[in-house]
Amino acid sequence: MKYIDEFRNKKLIGKILKKIEALSPKGAINIMEVCGTHTQNFRRFRLDKLLPKNLKFISGPGCPVCVSSQGYIDQAIQLSRQKDTMILSFGDMLRVPGSKTTLEKERARSGNVHVVYSALEGIKLAQQNPGKKIIFLAVGFETTAPTIALSILAAKKQNLKNLFFLSSLKLIPPAMDYLVRDKRLRLSGFLCPGHVSAIIGTKPYEFIPAKFGIGCCVAGFEPLDILEGILVIIEQLIEQRPRVDNQYRRVVTPNGNLKAQQVIAQVFRSNDAFWRGLGKIPKSGLKIKNTFSRFDAENVFGIKEAPGARQPARCKCGDVLKGLISPLGCPLFSKRCNPDNPVGPCMVSSEGACNAYYKYK
Ligand code: SF4
């Protein structure tokens, strides 16, 4: 536990909190994070109780499961109903509502939906089940994309004819570009995601201070990391010098992981993507390139993602994901909607804001 304890040291936490308290300018300070682990750990370590009252820490669209659109879930359900298909999915996705039903209910009905922990499991299952069409639900951000790209390359190398990928992979910087333009949020700064930044580096955020005058700090996930990141943003505000700082230098570099970026670029191209709650964001998704189109489930099965599928009634996930309201602002929170009976995706995944608020309320 040596390395974790250091980042949870109460004395150091106390010192940083004092600095934040002393330096924080008057008036509203709105800092947004776009990372499910930041969402979770901010609530888990009760940092909300420790920060000055005028500092609002807003959770944005950082949970990959939560931002998958209803149209994508519907698409996956339709594929599971095709003859001889086997859908492979990360566990959290099963309970995310589509417009009428969930993959979990489809699994109970048809048995065609299976939980896996990695895209690479698809290779083995495709070899073991030559009579089945294996379809992997590729969701996640820049962090997940390299292993999915590697799985597609491995499938090509092994000349697998029965393994396909339904990509709903998403890119964080275009979503931040969308959010920073929303005047209702009045953002003072972004706490940038540590995992995503390990892949892409710090440079892709530079347009935010340059174009919008909003500061950024890449931060790790322990309490000291998060508080240091917040302190750095406050210092930027005082100096009136918005920039991209990096608190997570033990993992993140300016250029990121070039090998991972290379493998992503080899297999995917960017495309316009649908985000639950946020709608269509230009160049915010990863689509399988034409050279690998025989592995692209959308292309092979001809079932498209329907835009604008309806949200569950009264669910405010859209506003929660945009950071316009906290989960407590949803009338269903903790009443009709809870982790045992989630109405919307933000209550399903442990990285979802509603789930974190419920768990640590
Ligand atoms: S509490 Fe439930 S219904 Fe309300 S926004 Fe969150 S997930 Fe949706």
Side-chain angles (χ1 to χ4, degrees):
M1 291 295 279
K2 182 178 171 230
Y3 296 110
I4 288 182
D5 290 346
E6 287 165 1
F7 291 95
R8 296 180 185 178
N9 182 303
K10 282 186 183 167
K11 264 193 187 165
L12 291 176
I13 289 174
K15 270 189 185 172
I16 290 200
L17 283 168
K18 271 190 189 155
K19 263 193 174 176
I20 291 175
E21 185 85 49
L23 293 178
S24 287
K26 290 209 168 62
I29 305 169
N30 297 326
I31 297 177
M32 175 177 262
E33 51 82 5
V34 282
C35 165
T37 316
H38 281 152
T39 308
Q40 182 78 2
N41 281 357
F42 188 79
R43 305 293 308 177
R44 178 180 168 204
F45 293 107
R46 306 291 158 123
L47 302 183
D48 53 320
K49 304 270 180 244
L50 305 174
L51 289 166
K53 294 273 175 291
N54 61 328
L55 198 156
K56 203 161 133 200
F57 195 69
I58 305 168
S59 288
C63 157
V65 166
C66 308
V67 298
S68 299
S69 74
Q70 296 95 310
Y72 178 76
I73 304 291
D74 293 347
Q75 201 182 10
I77 288 168
Q78 277 194 60
L79 286 169
S80 77
R81 291 174 179 173
Q82 301 274 305
K83 193 168 178 278
D84 293 330
T85 55
M86 186 193 276
I87 303 292
L88 309 184
S89 170
F90 296 132
D92 276 353
M93 285 293 285
L94 265 60
R95 301 170 75 212
V96 175
S99 48
K100 291 201 181 88
T101 180
T102 62
L103 283 161
E104 189 174 49
K105 286 181 186 153
E106 286 303 305
R107 177 169 71 166
R109 198 185 62 79
S110 68
N112 277 354
V113 181
H114 301 259
V115 171
V116 291
Y117 296 96
S118 155
L120 288 163
E121 286 180 55
I123 304 279
K124 210 163 133 199
L125 285 165
Q127 289 164 338
Q128 289 169 347
N129 298 278
K132 289 274 186 190
K133 297 164 201 152
I134 315 289
I135 303 167
F136 178 78
L137 303 185
V139 300
F141 297 122
E142 290 91 336
T143 336
T144 327
T147 47
I148 294 173
L150 281 174
S151 307
I152 294 175
L153 289 172
K156 187 173 183 188
K157 199 171 171 193
Q158 296 185 32
N159 199 21
L160 289 174
K161 300 271 196 294
N162 63 332
L163 179 59
F164 310 95
F165 298 79
L166 188 67
S167 177
S168 179
L169 289 165
K170 294 191 167 54
L171 303 171
I172 285 289
M176 292 166 81
D177 185 39
Y178 170 95
L179 292 161
V180 77
R181 291 167 193 273
D182 192 328
K183 297 272 183 292
R184 292 170 296 175
L185 290 171
R186 295 164 192 248
L187 292 180
S188 317
F190 274 112
L191 196 79
C192 302
H195 295 137
V196 164
S197 307
I199 304 295
I200 66 173
T202 60
K203 286 186 177 169
Y205 306 115
E206 282 174 358
F207 73 94
I208 299 173
K211 251 172 100 176
F212 301 99
I214 303 283
C216 296
C217 183
V218 175
F221 304 103
E222 290 299 320
L224 267 181
D225 290 322
I226 296 174
L227 292 175
E228 251 182 32
I230 290 172
L231 178 61
V232 167
I233 292 170
I234 288 170
E235 285 168 348
Q236 291 186 22
L237 286 171
I238 295 166
E239 293 166 21
Q240 296 187 332
R241 202 162 63 85
R243 57 191 181 267
V244 179
D245 279 321
N246 183 8
Q247 181 278 337
Y248 203 28
R249 282 186 300 276
R250 64 188 188 275
V251 173
V252 175
T253 61
N255 292 316
N257 184 328
L258 298 179
K259 274 197 177 156
Q261 290 169 28
Q262 210 175 23
V263 81
I264 293 174
Q266 192 180 347
V267 175
F268 296 107
R269 63 177 171 82
S270 66
N271 71 331
D272 301 347
F274 293 103
W275 294 60
R276 193 181 288 244
L278 278 66
K280 189 176 179 176
I281 303 181
K283 305 275 179 213
S284 67
L286 289 175
K287 170 122 185 96
I288 296 171
K289 278 183 170 173
N290 286 345
T291 33
F292 297 93
S293 61
R294 73 178 167 94
F295 299 103
D296 183 349
E298 191 168 81
N299 177 59
V300 172
F301 296 90
I303 296 172
K304 299 279 173 222
E305 179 175 351
R310 70 184 167 87
Q311 296 236 38
R314 298 182 73 206
C315 169
K316 300 277 181 204
C317 275
D319 288 343
V320 171
L321 289 165
K322 277 186 219 150
L324 291 173
I325 62 166
S326 94
L328 304 179
C330 171
L332 306 186
F333 179 82
S334 194
K335 293 172 190 144
R336 227 184 86 207
C337 183
N338 57 62
D340 290 332
N341 181 28
V343 176
C346 301
M347 190 60 93
V348 173
S349 165
S350 62
E351 296 196 351
C354 299
N355 184 291
Y357 267 72
Y358 186 90
K359 206 167 178 184
Y360 304 112
K361 70 182 173 180

